[in-house]
C-alpha cells in the first residue's frame, strides 16, 4: 500500500527528472515521459527496494541519469520501464502500443536472463549459476548494444544508481557487484567516452572493495585541496586576465580534483609515491574554437615552467572513443606540480557525455 511518504518520493523523483530534461533536452515530450513514469509507478506498486523505498524510485533515478546524458525520449522512457517486463506482469503489448517498438527493443536488451537453479542447490552451486547468468546477460547486452548503443547507456545508468544505493545490500553481494562494476562496466563507460560515469563507478567500487585505502586517499586529497585552495584561486584569476589580454573571449577556467581510484592505481598498483602524482589537482580551461586551445596553452607556458615529457595533444591525435584535449603538466603556484587540461566546449561535452 502506497503511503504519503511514497507519494512524496515519487513526486520528488519526477520533478528531478523533468528538471534534467528541461536543462539538457528542452525539446523533450514531457507529457509522453510523464505517462511512462506513471506506468512505472503502477507496474512496481507492490515492490520495494532493500532500503525500504518504493521500487519506482530506482527507474526514475536511472531515467534522470539518461536524461543528463542527453539521450532521446525513447531512451528515457526505456529507462523508466527497464525493469517492467522483467519484474512485473505488465504485458509487452501494452508498452509497444503506448510507446513503440523501439522502446520495447531497448527494454528487452537491458533485461537480465532469468536465474535457473534447483531449489535444493547449495551456496556454491547457486554462486556458479549466478556467475553463469551474469556472463550470459552481459553477452546478450553486448549483442543488443551492437544494434542500438542506447541499450548500454541505459545499463550504465542502471548500474550507476545501483552502486550509489548499494549500502542496503548484504556485504558479500556488495563485494561481488563492486568487482563486476570495476572489471566490466567502468571500462565500457570509458570505451563509450562517458568519463564522469566511469570515474564515479570506479570510486564507488573502490570505496566498497578497499574502504581503508579509500578513506586515506580521500583525506589526503582533501588536505591537499585545502592547502592549495588559495594559491589556485589566485592562479585562476591571473590566468583569466592574461587569456583576456590575448583576445580570448567566452572561456572558463575551473579547478578539479583527480578521482580517487586513479590515485589508488598509481600509488598502490604502480608504486608511484603520493607526492609524485602531478595531476592530483588540475585546472581545466574551456574555450570556443580549436585554435584557441593552443593560444591558451601559450598563456599557461608563459606563466609556469613546463615539466619535460609531460605534454599530450589529444586534439591532433584523439583517443579511439573521440576524446580530445590538451594535457600538460607544469610547476604551478607554490612550485608544486599542476596539471592543465584545455579543450573546446564541444570537446568537453564529448568528454562528459561520450560520443552518444
Amino acid at each position: 500500500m502506497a503511503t504519503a511518504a511514497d507519494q512524496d518520493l515519487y513526486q520528488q523523483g519526477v520533478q528531478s527528472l523533468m528538471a534534467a530534461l528541461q536543462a539538457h533536452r528542452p525539446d523533450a515530450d514531457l507529457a509522453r515521459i510523464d505517462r511512462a513514469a506513471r506506468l512505472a509507478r503502477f507496474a512496481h506498486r507492490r515492490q520495494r527496494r532493500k532500503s525500504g523505498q518504493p521500487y519506482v524510485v530506482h527507474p526514475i533515478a536511472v531515467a534522470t541519469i539518461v536524461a543528463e546524458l542527453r539521450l532521446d525520449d525513447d531512451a528515457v522512457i526505456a529507462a523508466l520501464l527497464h525493469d517492467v517486463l522483467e519484474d512485473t506482469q505488465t504485458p509487452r503489448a501494452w508498452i509497444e502500443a503506448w510507446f513503440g517498438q523501439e522502446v520495447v527493443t531497448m527494454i528487452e536488451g537491458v533485461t537480465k536472463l532469468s536465474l535457473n537453479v534447483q531449489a535444493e542447490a547449495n551456496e556454491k552451486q547457486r554462486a556458479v549459476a549466478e556467475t553463469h547468468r551474469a556472463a550470459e546477460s552481459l553477452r546478450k547486452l553486448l549483442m543488443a548494444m551492437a544494434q542500438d548503443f542506447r541499450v548500454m547507456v541505459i545499463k550504465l545508468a542502471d548500474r550507476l544508481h545501483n552502486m550509489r544505493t548499494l549500502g542496503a545490500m548484504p556485504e558479500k553481494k556488495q563485494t561481488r557487484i563492486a568487482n563486476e562494476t570495476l572489471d566490466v562496466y567502468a571500462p565500457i563507460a570509458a570505451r563509450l567516452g562517458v568519463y564522469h560515469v566511469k570515474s564515479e563507478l570506479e570510486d564507488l567500487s573502490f570505496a566498497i572493495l578497499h574502504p581503508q585505502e579509500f578513506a586515506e586517499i580521500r583525506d589526503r586529497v582533501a588536505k591537499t585541496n585545502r592547502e592549495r585552495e588559495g594559491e589556485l584561486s589566485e592562479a585562476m584569476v591571473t590566468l583569466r586576465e592574461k587569456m583576456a589580454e590575448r583576445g580570448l573571449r567566452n572561456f572558463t577556467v575551473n579547478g578539479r580534483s583527480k578521482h580517487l581510484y586513479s590515485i589508488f592505481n598509481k600509488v598502490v598498483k604502480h608504486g608511484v609515491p603520493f607526492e609524485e602524482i602531478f595531476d592530483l589537482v588540475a585546472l581545466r580551461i574551456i574555450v570556443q574554437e580549436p585554435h584557441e586551445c593552443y593560444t591558451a596553452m601559450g598563456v599557461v607556458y608563459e606563466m609556469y615552467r613546463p615539466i619535460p615529457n609531460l605534454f599530450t595533444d589529444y586534439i591532433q591525435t584523439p583517443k579511439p572513443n573521440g576524446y580530445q584535449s590538451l594535457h600538460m603538466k607544469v610547476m604551478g603556484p607554490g612550485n608544486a606540480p599542476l596539471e592543465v587540461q584545455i579543450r573546446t566546449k564541444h570537446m568537453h561535452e564529448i568528454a562528459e557525455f561520450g560520443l552518444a
Side-chain angles (χ1 to χ4, degrees), residues 147-174:
Q147 301 299 318
D148 190 336
F149 74 91
R150 293 174 296 179
V151 171
M152 183 56 79
V153 178
I154 294 168
K155 186 61 183 177
L156 288 172
D158 174 47
R159 179 53 61 111
L160 179 56
H161 184 252
N162 280 332
M163 288 298 299
R164 288 173 178 174
T165 57
L166 202 57
M169 292 289 183
E171 186 175 338
K172 186 177 291 187
K173 191 166 187 178
Q174 288 187 41

Side-chain angles (χ1 to χ4, degrees), residues 7 27 33 54 67 75 82 106 122 125 132 137-138 153 161 172 187 214 216 242 257 271 286 290 307 333-334 339:
Q7 179 65 16
D27 60 339
I33 290 168
H82 76 273
M106 278 188 277
N122 59 34
Q125 289 169 327
H132 178 71
S137 293
L138 180 61
V153 178
H161 184 252
K172 186 177 291 187
F214 175 85
E216 289 175 357
K242 290 187 177 294
S257 298
I286 298 177
I307 299 175
E339 180 183 56

Side-chain angles (χ1 to χ4, degrees), residues 30-332:
L30 300 184
R32 183 167 176 253
I33 290 168
D34 183 63
R35 284 198 301 275
R38 285 188 277 116
L39 174 58
R41 179 178 60 170
F42 175 78
H44 294 297
R45 64 193 182 280
R46 295 188 178 91
Q47 297 173 310
R48 290 192 174 272
R49 305 198 84 206
K50 291 288 186 183
S51 63
Q53 288 186 328
Y55 191 87
V56 73
V57 167
H58 169 66
I60 292 174
V62 173
T64 302
I65 296 169
V66 169
E68 290 168 348
L69 292 171
R70 307 184 185 189
L71 266 67
D72 61 11
D73 290 1
D74 280 355
V76 174
I77 291 168
L80 281 166
L81 303 177
H82 76 273
D83 282 330
V84 165
L85 291 180
E86 180 180 359
D87 294 340
T88 78
Q89 299 300 311
T90 306
R92 180 186 187 280
W94 287 12
I95 300 174
E96 184 174 352
W98 293 340
F99 301 108
Q101 177 61 47
E102 276 196 34
V103 169
V104 173
T105 301
M106 278 188 277
I107 294 170
E108 290 177 336
V110 176
T111 299
K112 298 188 295 292
L113 299 174
S114 59
L115 180 62
N116 296 316
V117 60
Q118 298 296 322
E120 65 274 12
N122 59 34
E123 185 176 347
K124 182 177 180 180
Q125 289 169 327
R126 288 182 177 277
V128 170
E130 177 60 43
T131 300
H132 178 71
R133 180 184 62 163
E136 285 300 305
S137 293
L138 180 61
R139 185 180 67 83
K140 172 176 174 279
L141 180 66
L142 292 170
M143 290 177 66
M145 186 184 73
Q147 301 299 318
D148 190 336
F149 74 91
R150 293 174 296 179
V151 171
M152 183 56 79
V153 178
I154 294 168
K155 186 61 183 177
L156 288 172
D158 174 47
R159 179 53 61 111
L160 179 56
H161 184 252
N162 280 332
M163 288 298 299
R164 288 173 178 174
T165 57
L166 202 57
M169 292 289 183
E171 186 175 338
K172 186 177 291 187
K173 191 166 187 178
Q174 288 187 41
T175 300
R176 179 182 64 78
I177 292 173
N179 272 314
E180 183 181 74
T181 299
L182 206 54
D183 292 341
V184 177
Y185 290 98
I188 289 174
R191 286 292 184 181
L192 290 177
V194 193
Y195 279 103
H196 78 282
V197 172
K198 166 193 175 286
S199 297
E200 188 174 352
L201 288 173
E202 287 179 339
D203 281 353
L204 290 167
S205 301
F206 176 31
I208 290 168
L209 298 173
H210 304 283
Q212 182 176 341
E213 291 87 344
F214 175 85
E216 289 175 357
I217 291 176
R218 179 196 58 203
D219 293 344
R220 293 191 71 170
V221 169
K223 181 173 182 290
T224 301
N225 287 345
R226 286 194 301 271
E227 290 172 347
R228 301 193 64 186
E229 184 176 4
E231 60 189 22
L232 283 174
S233 296
E234 185 178 336
M236 285 190 283
V237 170
T238 306
L239 192 53
R240 291 185 188 110
E241 290 173 352
K242 290 187 177 294
M243 288 175 64
E245 290 173 4
R246 293 286 293 270
L248 294 172
R249 299 288 182 269
N250 300 319
F251 61 83
T252 61
V253 181
N254 297 303
R256 69 161 189 88
S257 298
K258 190 175 182 67
H259 80 283
L260 302 183
Y261 182 69
S262 61
I263 297 172
F264 171 74
N265 267 339
K266 287 189 175 182
V267 172
V268 177
K269 294 189 175 181
H270 301 295
V272 179
F274 188 86
E275 295 74 18
E276 293 182 14
I277 299 178
F278 295 148
D279 51 356
L280 192 63
V281 179
L283 293 183
R284 180 174 290 149
I285 300 171
I286 298 177
V287 295
Q288 298 301 311
E289 301 294 335
H291 72 270
E292 294 177 335
C293 294
Y294 297 94
T295 303
M297 179 183 74
V299 173
V300 173
Y301 281 160
E302 286 174 6
M303 290 178 59
Y304 302 115
R305 177 169 57 86
I307 299 175
N309 304 317
L310 292 178
F311 169 76
T312 308
D313 187 343
Y314 291 117
I315 295 178
Q316 294 298 322
T317 309
K319 291 186 178 182
N321 57 25
Y323 177 86
Q324 290 182 288
S325 185
L326 298 179
H327 289 201
M328 64 200 70
K329 310 292 194 306
V330 298
M331 297 308 294

